[in-house]
Amino acid sequence: MTEAMVQIVDVVLLVLLAITGIAVIRTRNLFVAVMLAGIYSLVSAGLFVVMDAVDVAFTEAAVGAGISTVLLLCTLALVGYKESKPQHTPILPLFVVIVTGGALVYGTAEIPPFGEADNPAHQNVAAHYIHDSEDEIGHIPNVVTSVLASYRGYDTMGETAVIFTAMVGVLLLLSRGPLPKRVYHAGHWHKVKRGVTREDLIAEMEDEEVHDSTVVGGEDEDG
Amino acid sequence: MDDRVILRVGTKVLSPFILLFALYVQFHGDYGPGGGFQAGVIFAAVFVLYALVFGLERAMEVMPAKVAYACGALGVALYLGVGYLSMFRGGEFLNYSYLFDPEHDPTHGQHYGIIGVELGVLVTVFGVMVALFYAFAGRRRIDT
């Protein structure tokens, strides 16, 4: 690809990114917002490919556009897809966002040009990885894998532990663990029999509620 | 069971190929983009797809939630195991060069060490992604 073509692709992708971002903010339909967020991730993945960060692009496409979209849809199935009208005026958030964005854009002036060989990022260990990983790690053409799994094995171990911790956290908050041995309902404790599912139990309780109220009604008649 | 024949047949036809692609991503990570994380997500995506088309209960018969939880922990254990193994072989923690005779050829150990830890990442990511999906999809909407 020539330089001009790269720039055209860059501009097209960035414009798409901006359009999807604004559309996510403007829509009040959360289903639409989730779908647009998926598209946003996919376009970002495209940008990463253009910047030669294929491993990152791969992850972004699989996690951002794939799994997280599904998880968000699952959440929407629980909470509904309509967003209520905001209760505050957006002036203060807008001010904060503009100031922060302005600071970030100002900061980019100091960032070294993209892909230059004498950038600070390429001065320290990167040269060593590219030059010596063949001898130290063996014939692994994708240096990213050598760095990720061997040179930076500690970091990847930490990341794996973080993912595991995320699972533990979500399960603690969301999962429906095993049923308790007994449940308190309508004034007394019920033993939960083995092999009873949660749905059976709920149905049983509802039945009993109806049953109880008729009994109470009967007593009233007697009295 | 619904009558969306194309979805059901398409899912069944595609699933083995997606699993195979996940393995390709896993083992081709040395040569191109990919690795344990991406492969784990793709692996999990098969079961998410299955659950979306055939329902959560049938998916949980294919891949029980307990197995997914176990995978999530097992992968981390595998990763740590490779690290400790290289310690017991005389090197530092996670220094794979010592997995095999380092005097002879340290890259040999590096090669297998990387395969080992990438497998650990794959197993953890797969288990966690499936577990997260089950946790989200398994809840009912509570109407107040």
Side-chain angles (χ1 to χ4, degrees):
Chain A
M1 272 206 297
T2 62
E3 196 65 27
M5 273 172 74
V6 173
Q7 286 201 334
I8 291 171
V9 173
D10 273 349
V11 168
V12 168
L13 285 175
L14 280 171
V15 167
L16 274 176
L17 207 62
I19 292 173
T20 6
I22 293 168
V24 169
I25 299 168
R26 293 209 46 88
T27 181
R28 287 262 163 261
N29 186 327
L30 292 176
F31 182 76
V32 174
V34 168
M35 283 304 163
L36 284 170
I39 294 171
Y40 190 94
S41 281
L42 203 60
V43 176
S44 316
L47 267 175
F48 292 142
V49 172
V50 175
M51 292 192 282
D52 286 334
V54 272
D55 283 272
V56 185
F58 207 156
T59 313
E60 181 67 40
V63 179
I67 293 279
S68 64
T69 306
V70 171
L71 289 184
L72 283 170
L73 286 178
C74 289
T75 314
L76 285 194
L78 298 174
V79 300
Y81 60 86
K82 283 219 176 79
E83 187 182 358
S84 52
K85 280 231 157 71
Q87 304 203 334
H88 308 280
T89 53
I91 306 281
L92 181 67
L94 190 68
F95 175 73
V96 172
V97 165
I98 285 175
V99 169
T100 318
L104 288 173
V105 171
Y106 177 71
T108 54
E110 292 284 312
I111 289 179
F114 174 72
E116 292 284 308
D118 51 355
N119 282 352
H122 301 149
Q123 295 307 313
N124 297 311
V125 283
H128 173 85
Y129 293 152
I130 290 166
H131 191 258
D132 295 334
S133 71
E134 175 94 29
D135 294 329
E136 290 177 355
I137 308 294
H139 184 64
I140 296 179
N142 186 6
V143 183
V144 174
T145 300
S146 309
V147 174
L148 214 72
S150 186
Y151 287 116
R152 300 252 170 176
Y154 272 115
D155 296 61
T156 310
M157 185 189 78
E159 280 165 25
T160 316
V162 164
I163 297 166
F164 173 69
T165 317
M167 175 178 84
V168 174
V170 168
L171 288 182
L172 279 174
L173 288 171
L174 284 186
S175 99
R176 312 192 302 178
L179 287 173
K181 289 208 170 60
R182 52 183 199 153
V183 289
Y184 189 76
H185 180 73
H188 48 276
W189 288 93
H190 302 255
K191 262 202 165 169
V192 178
K193 294 186 203 86
R194 274 171 152 257
V196 171
T197 67
R198 195 171 298 256
E199 282 70 31
D200 291 343
L201 201 65
I202 292 170
E204 200 179 298
M205 297 285 126
E206 279 167 357
D207 278 356
E208 187 153 334
E209 229 158 74
V210 174
H211 180 71
D212 278 357
S213 62
T214 50
V215 169
V216 170
E219 278 171 1
D220 277 354
E221 269 174 45
D222 284 345
Chain B
M1 181 56 70
D2 54 49
D3 54 354
R4 293 173 297 180
V5 178
I6 294 175
L7 268 182
R8 281 193 280 128
V9 174
T11 303
K12 283 194 174 173
V13 171
L14 279 177
S15 291
F17 290 103
I18 303 176
L19 289 172
L20 196 65
F21 180 64
L23 288 178
Y24 166 80
V25 169
Q26 170 79 5
F27 292 109
H28 205 257
D30 290 4
Y31 301 96
F37 192 90
Q38 293 93 331
V41 173
I42 295 171
F43 238 101
V46 174
F47 293 94
V48 172
L49 178 70
Y50 191 88
L52 288 177
V53 175
F54 293 98
L56 196 62
E57 284 182 9
R58 280 189 66 179
M60 280 184 171
E61 281 171 21
V62 179
M63 170 57 57
K66 279 184 183 166
V67 176
Y69 303 160
C71 280
L74 203 69
V76 181
L78 184 60
Y79 203 121
L80 291 173
V82 174
Y84 281 120
L85 192 64
S86 35
M87 251 172 99
F88 287 128
R89 302 282 297 173
E92 298 93 346
F93 185 65
L94 287 174
N95 187 347
Y96 319 131
S97 297
Y98 287 86
L99 285 176
F100 297 96
D101 185 16
E103 302 298 318
H104 169 62
D105 185 7
T107 63
H108 195 211
Q110 287 286 346
H111 191 66
Y112 283 97
I114 289 176
I115 289 179
V117 297
E118 289 274 8
L119 197 66
V121 175
L122 168 98
V123 173
T124 288
V125 170
F126 162 71
V128 170
M129 291 301 164
V130 173
L132 289 189
F133 174 72
Y134 282 173
F136 275 91
R139 288 185 73 91
R140 293 271 167 80
R141 182 173 183 170
I142 299 167
D143 288 306
T144 47

